[in-house]
Amino acid sequence: MPADRPSAPARTPFVLLVVLLLGSGLLSLLLLNAAVNQGAFELEELEKQAEELTDEEQALQQELDSFSAPDALAERAREMGLVPGGNPAFILPDGTVRGVPEPAPAAPGGPGGEGAP
């Protein structure tokens, strides 16, 4: 049995190396899995935040559309005392006037839309 003795000490470093490699491989796999899971949680949170921001953007766009609708603009203009203009007159590059210039009609209720005419 003297032949078995020299091979036993030679196997020990190899076995330790294999165990060390397997252990470090499993540990690195565990760390990689944890990092992937963390990234998945962050991705889910960011997708939820993007959905909320999209909803907010749509609500703000609807509000903007309601303010810029023609009837809303006309109502706000009346509240500020503005009146609709008549037919426009144009000054051409040669200095001639096309159309008949006329002053705008007075606002109902006098200047600023308030009080008696």
Side-chain angles (χ1 to χ4, degrees):
M1 290 243 187
D4 287 338
R5 287 267 181 204
S7 64
R11 283 190 205 174
T12 304
F14 176 72
V15 170
L16 287 176
L17 178 66
V18 168
V19 168
L20 182 66
L21 287 174
L22 285 174
S24 64
L26 287 175
L27 182 63
S28 63
L29 192 60
L30 178 67
L31 292 174
L32 180 64
N33 190 18
V36 168
N37 284 339
Q38 180 66 28
F41 286 131
E42 288 178 10
L43 178 63
E44 183 179 339
E45 183 178 327
L46 290 174
E47 285 175 346
K48 182 179 177 183
Q49 184 179 4
E51 185 177 332
E52 290 172 357
L53 289 174
T54 301
D55 291 343
E56 183 179 352
E57 178 190 18
Q58 289 175 352
L60 289 173
Q61 186 64 44
Q62 286 177 349
E63 184 178 356
L64 178 66
D65 290 344
S66 72
F67 284 133
S68 60
D71 57 340
L73 288 175
E75 179 63 31
R76 288 195 344 225
R78 277 191 298 276
E79 289 173 1
M80 293 171 52
L82 301 176
V83 294
N87 291 331
F90 300 97
I91 300 176
L92 300 176
D94 62 1
T96 60
V97 177
R98 177 174 289 170
V100 179
E102 298 174 358
E114 298 176 5

